[in-house]
Each structure stands twice: as structure tokens, then as C-alpha cells.
Amino acid sequence: QIEAQWLSAIRQGWEAEGLPAKPLTDVTTVYYAKELAAAATTKSQGVAMGGPGAGQSAEIAYAFLKEYQDAANLSDEEIAGAAPQNGVSTTAVGMGPPHEGWVIALAVGLEALLPTRGKYIAGIFLRQAALYLDDRAVTLKIDSLVRKQIFPDGDTRPMVVLAHSLGTVVSYRLFTEQARPDLKIPLFVTMGSPLGIEIVKKRLPQLGAFPKPPIERWINAVCKDDFVTLNKRLGAQHLGYDGVEHVGDVANEGPDKHAIGPYLSSSAVARAIHAVL
């Protein structure tokens, strides 16, 4: 289903740009949602989003949400006021940051106060990101799974890598830690990426660890209404170098501003993929 959705969006982009169709037959779709889901079920909702017994998850989740709260110019009072109206107890709110109750209150408050933006951050993305960034066992399991799929032993054919959302963090980590100079990546496209978010940046490989295998061209596509990205460019302050092409004009008229379809069918991304194949 994922592969069909992504390839359909690419073809739509080609058609919109008046580009002739090209075959999309040699495709690998990397899938790791089961591992995240399994990890989430072993923890309570609060622990999965940060809280007692979750190591640094509370701090990660709080710092993550706080950055979005500040970007939205929302006060703690506004968050605290919205949370009880949306099913969070005043006791939980009163626990204050970075405790589990406040983290949940902050997530729920963002969803309520940012109905077109907060839903996908707080309800979906945060839990996945907190688990991946904090739980070393989950990180290693997902990295190993993706590495086997994207870097199969003995396969040195050039590959185009398309990554979305948390997938941009996973793939970037592999590119900086997987020493495979024999591989060639003529095009790497990150879309809806949180790589520019402070709490994510702190858990990335050391700045300046230039991706290996070599990446010939890196495009980072951003929709200004996709709140996950905070509309940030990826540059030296995030990655240690300035080799990333910023595409900041991705249009998305749908309700989910973080959706993959509009990214893949956007002019710059569709043309880049078409040119490199």
C-alpha cells in the first residue's frame, strides 16, 4: 500500500509537469512501523510519550513539544487551559514539565489549539520519535532492519533514496554511520523532515559527519504548513555542512499537511526523480 501510494504520487507529478513516464520497477519499500507499534504497546500512553520509567523519554517528549509550542507562540497558560477541556485531568496538568501528566497535557493542548497542525505532531509523530530517539533497543532494531533492506550485501547499484518524516532521521543516521564508499546515492530526497528540530539534532551523529556512501545530490522539501518541519532549512547549523538544496514551495491543499503525496508530486521533487532515473 505504501509503495503504491508513493509511486502513484510520483507519476502524478510527472504528468502534471508534462514529463514522459519512466518505469518504476526496481523499488524497495522500507517498512518498520511494526517495530514501533510493538514498542509502544509495551509502554503506557504516557510512558511512550515520555514519563516515569521511560528513561529520558519525558525530557525528549517535553523538549520536542516545547519547541513546537514556542514556534506556535502558545503560552503554558493556554496549554493548561485547553487540556482539561479535552479530557486531561487538572491533576495531570498540575504535575508540570517534564512529568508525564504535563507532557500529555501539552500534546493534547497542541492538538486542540492547533487543529490543522498539532494533530499529526502530538498524536502520531511524537510517540514514534520519542521511542526511536530514547529507546536504544528500538533504535538499533529499526536501524538494523532498514540497513538490511536499503544496503543489501553485495548490491552496489546506484540508488535513489526517498525518505519522509521520521524516515529522514533513520536514513540520515544510516548514511552517516554506514561506511559503504562503494555505494552511490545520486539522489537523496527528504520530505517533511524533523532533522532541523533541536531535540532531534542533539541525537544525530556528530555534526560534519558527511554521509557515506557519498550522496551526489540532497534535496530537502518543505511544505510551509507542515508543522513537523517548523519550516526549517537544513544547513551547517544542523548537519555541519551546507550541501542540502532547500525546496520550500511544496503546496498541500489537503487536511494533512504532513502527507507524503503532495511532496512526491511537487514540481522540484518529481523533476529531480525523473531526471536521475
Side-chain angles (χ1 to χ4, degrees):
Q1 291 175 346
I2 292 172
E3 183 174 307
Q5 178 190 19
W6 285 43
L7 297 185
S8 175
I10 293 171
R11 293 189 180 99
Q12 289 174 17
W14 291 351
E15 183 177 355
E17 293 297 308
L19 300 172
K22 288 187 176 182
L24 292 167
T25 54
D26 191 1
V27 178
T28 298
T29 305
V30 180
Y31 183 74
Y32 54 86
K34 286 184 179 180
E35 281 65 30
L36 281 176
T41 57
T42 63
K43 301 180 179 182
S44 69
Q45 179 186 18
V47 170
M49 299 178 70
Q56 294 181 321
S57 288
E59 288 78 10
I60 291 175
Y62 173 68
F64 195 87
L65 287 171
K66 182 64 176 174
E67 192 165 350
Y68 287 101
Q69 177 191 356
D70 293 343
N73 198 29
L74 295 173
S75 67
D76 286 352
E77 289 73 22
E78 289 176 291
I79 294 293
Q85 301 173 23
N86 292 275
V88 178
S89 71
T90 54
T91 301
V93 175
M95 293 175 71
H99 296 290
E100 174 183 345
W102 178 256
V103 171
I104 294 176
L106 180 50
V108 171
L110 281 176
E111 287 186 348
L113 296 170
L114 304 173
T116 61
R117 299 183 290 177
K119 175 181 178 182
Y120 300 98
I121 298 167
I124 301 172
F125 181 76
L126 170 68
R127 190 172 306 173
Q128 295 178 354
L131 282 169
Y132 178 77
L133 293 172
D134 176 60
D135 192 320
R136 184 63 177 167
V138 173
T139 304
L140 293 175
K141 188 173 185 179
I142 290 176
D143 286 358
S144 176
L145 175 66
V146 175
R147 182 180 293 109
K148 290 177 182 177
Q149 295 180 74
I150 202 172
F151 294 136
D153 291 337
D155 189 348
T156 59
R157 293 173 297 169
M159 67 179 76
V160 172
V161 178
L162 310 175
H164 176 245
S165 195
L166 183 59
T168 68
V169 180
V170 177
S171 54
Y172 177 77
R173 282 173 51 87
L174 292 182
F175 282 150
T176 54
E177 295 178 352
Q178 178 81 355
R180 285 288 301 274
D182 56 321
L183 289 175
K184 300 297 181 184
I185 312 295
L187 178 64
F188 179 38
V189 183
T190 48
M191 299 162 284
S193 176
L195 282 169
I197 304 303
E198 193 68 27
I199 192 63
V200 175
K201 182 178 71 174
K202 289 179 178 178
R203 283 160 177 79
L204 293 176
Q206 185 176 5
L207 290 179
F210 196 84
K212 45 188 185 297
I215 294 174
E216 297 176 22
R217 186 183 184 190
W218 180 347
I219 293 175
N220 183 56
V222 175
C223 170
K224 64 180 179 61
D225 295 320
D226 181 355
F227 206 51
V228 168
T229 71
L230 289 185
N231 204 26
K232 291 192 174 183
R233 293 173 177 263
L234 299 184
Q237 72 275 30
H238 304 113
L239 308 169
Y241 57 93
D242 285 314
V244 184
E245 298 176 36
H246 179 73
V247 175
D249 59 352
V250 175
N252 184 337
E253 302 300 328
D256 180 2
K257 304 304 181 182
H258 190 53
I260 184 60
Y263 278 111
L264 289 169
S265 60
S266 64
S267 176
V269 172
R271 284 187 171 277
I273 296 171
H274 191 274
V276 79
L277 290 179

